[in-house]
Amino acid sequence: MRTALDWKRYYSSPEFLDNYIYAGNDLGVTCTDSGASFKLWSPSADRVTLNLYQDGGKGKPFFCVPMTKEEKGVWHWSTAERLHGVYYDFLLEIEGKEVRSADPWAKACGLNGQRSMAVDLSRTDPEGWADDRAPERTREQIIYEVHVKEFSWDPAGGFPEAYRGKYKAFTCTDTTLNGDGIHPTGLRYMKDLGITHVQIMPAYDYGSVNEAGEDTEFNWGYDPVNYNVPEGSYSTDPARGEVRIREMKEMIQSLHASGFRVIMDVVYNHTYTLDSWFQRTAPWYFYRVFEDGRISNGSACGNDVASEREMCAKYILESVLYWTEEYHIDGFRFDLMGLLDVDLMNRIRKALDDRYGRGEKILFGEPWAAAETAMEGNAVPALKKNIALLDEKIGMFCDDTRDAVKGSALKIRRPGFINGARGMEADILRGVRAWCLDSGEYGEDHAAVKAPSQIITYVSSHDNQTLWDKLTETLPQADDAEKMRLNRMAAALYMTCQGTLFFLSGEEFARTKNGMEDSFNAPIGLNRLDWTQAWENHGLVEYYRGLIGLRSRLPGLCDKSARGPERISAMNRSEGLVSFILDNRSADGSERWDCVKIIYNSSRAARSVSAGGGTWEILCTGEDSSLWQGHHPAEKGLMIAPQSVLILGRTKKT
Ligand code: CA
């Protein structure tokens, strides 16, 4: 029996590299009215049998046929019969042992993803799908992170009972709180808020929720089983393979029609278990192993996908392109991007640019890993320290700004600038410029961010405590009024930093998970968006709305180019106080204020503010972020309130 290392050596041998790297893009099943063609890449198998089933989970095959080994390790069988809706798997013989596997390249599957399904994708398109288009790109991209089930689980959201927790809830365009017809929830709520991109947490088929189980089962879904198939528990009928496909398309279509672009959260860095379809069809090819035989576990989920292996890189690239082509996805958020390699990320960027135009599809990820990984050969991991090697239009979550604003996400009691830490002012100013300055200034970790386009500016995501819970944790004595003030301050602060803006759904209504850090498998009752709370805290929601509206009128902050950070000048800092001037001129001259002054005061005392020459107006204070909608002259003797952000605009001379 070959060991993992034996297999790895074989896959690295010239014999293998010359004979088994398949260049075609037709793996999986091609299924139309005029027939079906099955292709499986398994260079490791000595024999492969294809089994066809009527059902996606139960019963014996009604047809079994040996597949033919063709070149490059590809096994093939085709028929002139119509097989749409027929389920299948493979029986492989590897080293004298029989192993059953579903299809790693499957585009549809049965219940819990255990059998694959032949699908004629044209039959899964909802009405009007051919005309589905993403809305035009906006000056600023503001990403709102949403989980399918969390979004509509709360009965107060006013979604139809049968759609709660499902893709279908996103097709409801007119929901209100308890159906009162007054207070918008769901899509209309998000539209009012002003966000431009909806980021859907994992919605490919994952393994941690039983699709035949109780509806209350919950998981974030960072445990992929079938990368190219939608998750079944979000569909109204997970047992019928085409339903989840159509319903996910309906969700995207509806989001597009409501004015949102859609980002998919992708987890190519590991699989639910090591005993995956990858592993069953090509043992150890798709996984990393250390030289001493230990299984690489940089994901802390039991395995690391070997993105640097050519057939694996090709798989990931084609998967991304498939989601954009077939599902009209507008961008991707890569989970633990630091486990993937720089070459692959740049290759994906280029392929998307070639097809859709430069930067049209947004691409970013987490530039870290949970632990060391056994990346092979000369591959370079897409970690924060290697940001200079990544394309200018590949972004990374900026934990430095996040932690500077409200304290470390991992050390939960540690505060940041707004909640009591001292000495954070310099980092806050770095965050304002999206950490884009001369290389070397910040040390190795920050070597040369090329442009604000490489930075995702945020203070909360699904991971770690919510912003509200972090404030509670770090300020146990603070009353709700103070926490609200600091929440507003956090929002006004990061929303006046350069970079692309991102936040966890509900941050804007003081969402809480009762202090829980990583609620990935906590009850849905804790994780669900609380639509009653969204109304109760509508003052905070309004504050976010004002900030978002103002942001798109500040082209100086939206500037993602390498020159963008040069717009920030007159940077001043003293204890608890930071200020700077923003050159807000835009190429088309459409801006209302040619110059903007922004002040952050985290102290508990009011401070005096001087704006400088010209006519200035107040755009935003710690209480009201919509002053810019009217006209509020900045008088002499202006003060900034304690624990607040003040934004002033200089009226353009005409
Ligand atoms: Ca599943």
Side-chain angles (χ1 to χ4, degrees):
M1 286 291 287
R2 289 187 191 187
T3 65
L5 285 176
D6 292 340
W7 279 114
K8 293 305 262 189
R9 281 187 205 108
Y10 167 60
Y11 296 135
S12 297
S13 68
E15 189 238 326
F16 181 86
L17 295 173
D18 286 347
N19 294 308
Y20 291 105
I21 304 301
Y22 181 61
N25 61 357
D26 56 353
L27 294 173
V29 181
T30 311
C31 177
T32 65
D33 272 350
S34 50
S37 163
F38 294 75
K39 284 196 175 181
L40 173 70
W41 185 73
S42 177
S44 327
D46 297 312
R47 265 192 314 171
V48 179
T49 304
L50 171 68
N51 299 315
L52 301 183
Y53 306 84
Q54 299 293 358
D55 189 87
K58 297 186 295 286
K60 290 194 162 34
F62 67 83
F63 182 74
C64 306
V65 62
M67 298 181 81
T68 308
K69 190 168 190 178
E70 298 186 339
E71 54 165 21
K72 307 290 186 190
V74 173
W75 297 81
H76 181 224
W77 182 77
S78 61
T79 174
E81 279 188 63
R82 285 172 49 186
L83 291 183
H84 173 71
V86 167
Y87 295 87
Y88 69 98
D89 63 11
F90 305 107
L91 198 61
L92 300 96
E93 190 184 306
I94 298 177
E95 292 196 296
K97 276 190 157 174
E98 282 199 329
V99 57
R100 184 199 81 85
S101 180
D103 185 356
W105 281 266
K107 297 185 172 76
C109 66
L111 195 68
N112 285 322
Q114 292 305 297
R115 286 178 186 165
S116 309
M117 189 188 99
V119 61
D120 178 349
L121 288 161
S122 66
R123 291 163 177 254
T124 63
D125 294 346
E127 203 175 317
W129 184 244
D131 300 321
D132 173 67
R133 298 283 179 280
E136 286 295 306
R137 199 152 36 146
T138 44
R139 177 179 266 164
E140 187 54 278
Q141 300 169 326
I142 300 174
I143 302 165
Y144 193 66
E145 187 185 37
V146 169
H147 182 281
V148 173
K149 187 170 266 189
E150 292 175 0
F151 178 71
S152 59
W153 183 259
D154 182 7
F159 299 91
E161 173 92 38
Y163 291 177
R164 282 176 50 210
K166 309 292 183 191
Y167 300 120
K168 276 281 195 182
F170 290 86
T171 64
C172 305
T173 53
D174 204 20
T175 52
T176 50
L177 187 67
N178 296 306
D180 67 3
I182 300 167
H183 307 104
T185 61
L187 260 54
R188 261 183 61 199
Y189 169 89
M190 293 195 297
K191 194 68 199 164
D192 287 350
L193 189 57
I195 54 113
T196 62
H197 285 60
V198 175
Q199 179 172 310
I200 305 288
M201 283 170 67
Y204 53 73
D205 178 44
Y206 61 79
S208 54
V209 164
N210 179 5
E211 296 175 1
E214 293 296 321
D215 246 5
T216 50
E217 277 195 35
F218 177 84
N219 203 285
W220 283 345
Y222 292 86
D223 44 75
V225 174
N226 290 293
Y227 279 114
N228 297 331
V229 184
E231 162 59 15
S233 63
Y234 303 146
S235 78
T236 57
D237 189 352
R240 285 171 51 219
E242 71 283 6
V243 175
R244 59 178 78 187
I245 299 176
R246 181 177 299 109
E247 291 181 349
M248 188 172 177
K249 287 178 174 176
E250 285 174 351
M251 170 179 81
I252 293 160
Q253 183 180 37
S254 177
L255 284 166
H256 281 164
S258 294
F260 305 109
R261 289 193 166 202
V262 182
I263 296 171
M264 188 166 178
D265 192 339
V266 287
V267 188
Y268 294 111
N269 65 80
H270 72 276
T271 53
Y272 183 40
T273 67
L274 187 57
D275 183 21
S276 66
W277 314 140
F278 282 157
Q279 187 75 335
R280 292 190 192 183
T281 54
W284 299 106
Y285 182 88
F286 290 91
Y287 295 98
R288 293 185 185 135
V289 180
F290 286 102
E291 281 302 323
D292 61 7
R294 278 179 304 132
I295 297 164
S296 184
N297 188 22
S299 67
C301 295
N303 62 80
D304 295 342
V305 165
S307 65
E308 65 279 18
R309 286 266 170 194
E310 175 52 25
M311 287 302 289
C312 187
K314 175 179 150 68
Y315 181 95
I316 295 170
L317 172 66
E318 286 178 358
S319 176
V320 166
L321 294 175
Y322 174 69
W323 285 106
T324 56
E325 284 291 297
E326 187 62 33
Y327 289 85
H328 305 176
I329 292 290
D330 306 303
F332 297 89
R333 174 263 187 205
F334 282 76
D335 188 66
L336 299 185
M337 182 172 73
L339 286 176
L340 306 181
D341 60 292
V342 161
D343 280 355
L344 173 60
M345 291 308 301
N346 286 336
R347 199 169 147 189
I348 292 170
R349 178 71 272 172
K350 184 170 186 317
L352 290 171
D353 288 349
D354 288 349
R355 285 187 184 210
Y356 301 102
R358 176 69 172 151
E360 186 64 19
K361 304 286 184 186
I362 189 169
L363 211 58
F364 59 98
E366 294 180 307
W368 49 71
E372 189 195 358
T373 191
M375 196 173 277
E376 297 171 28
N378 299 319
V380 177
L383 290 164
K384 181 162 73 172
K385 67 179 181 182
N386 296 322
I387 188 77
L389 301 175
L390 286 167
D391 187 285
E392 190 173 307
K393 291 192 184 299
I394 296 175
M396 61 178 195
F397 282 96
C398 185
D399 54 345
D400 295 296
T401 297
R402 179 193 73 192
D403 291 357
V405 173
K406 50 90 188 174
S408 168
L410 304 176
K411 299 180 174 79
I412 59 174
R413 295 209 169 78
R414 184 179 290 182
F417 175 71
I418 64 163
N419 43 351
R422 295 187 171 212
M424 305 304 293
E425 293 80 9
D427 275 0
I428 292 293
L429 280 168
R430 288 169 182 142
V432 168
R433 295 201 279 183
W435 299 83
C436 298
L437 274 176
D438 309 333
S439 61
E441 182 173 339
Y442 309 142
E444 185 201 0
D445 255 14
H446 302 286
V449 176
K450 290 175 184 170
S453 54
Q454 287 194 307
I455 292 292
I456 301 293
T457 301
Y458 77 117
V459 299
S460 79
S461 72
H462 65 272
D463 278 319
N464 312 119
Q465 289 182 318
T466 68
L467 175 59
W468 184 261
D469 288 347
K470 174 73 181 180
L471 293 173
T472 305
E473 189 82 47
T474 50
L475 298 165
Q477 311 299 328
D479 59 14
D480 278 3
E482 181 174 13
K483 283 191 282 180
M484 278 290 173
R485 193 157 63 239
L486 291 174
N487 193 323
R488 290 195 299 271
M489 184 179 179
L493 201 168
Y494 81 81
M495 288 199 191
T496 45
C497 290
Q498 292 181 323
T500 297
L501 303 182
F502 172 103
F503 60 106
L504 171 68
S505 51
E507 181 194 294
E508 77 284 6
F509 60 73
R511 181 172 178 183
T512 176
K513 296 178 186 172
N514 298 335
M516 184 178 267
E517 288 180 73
D518 289 308
S519 60
F520 70 97
N521 63 355
I524 178 63
L526 182 74
N527 278 299
R528 58 98 179 78
L529 287 187
D530 180 342
W531 290 107
T532 306
Q533 194 194 16
W535 168 243
E536 287 168 352
N537 288 334
H538 68 99
L540 186 58
V541 177
E542 284 301 311
Y543 193 79
Y544 273 75
R545 185 180 168 188
L547 287 173
I548 291 167
L550 177 58
R551 172 77 176 202
S552 63
R553 288 165 178 82
L554 301 179
L557 290 177
C558 301
D559 188 346
K560 300 281 183 288
S561 73
R563 306 291 302 269
E566 295 172 11
R567 290 168 170 274
I568 311 289
S569 65
M571 290 179 284
N572 273 301
R573 57 188 164 94
S574 57
E575 195 181 313
L577 195 69
V578 166
S579 68
F580 58 93
I581 294 278
L582 169 72
D583 176 351
N584 195 43
R585 290 170 297 177
S586 64
D588 64 6
S590 63
E591 75 282 359
R592 239 171 92 187
W593 315 284
D594 59 356
C595 185
V596 172
K597 179 161 180 137
I598 299 172
I599 309 114
Y600 309 143
N601 177 17
S602 68
S603 74
R604 291 169 188 274
R607 306 280 192 94
S608 65
V609 171
S610 63
T615 310
W616 292 79
E617 54 184 309
I618 301 170
L619 310 184
C620 170
T621 65
E623 295 287 334
D624 191 341
S625 63
S626 59
L627 294 173
W628 56 272
Q629 292 171 3
H631 182 65
H632 301 270
E635 310 289 351
K636 287 226 177 317
L638 188 64
M639 302 288 281
I640 177 169
Q643 299 175 312
S644 77
V645 170
L646 179 65
I647 308 175
L648 306 173
R650 189 174 71 189
T651 313
K652 205 164 62 169
K653 287 203 188 80
T654 44

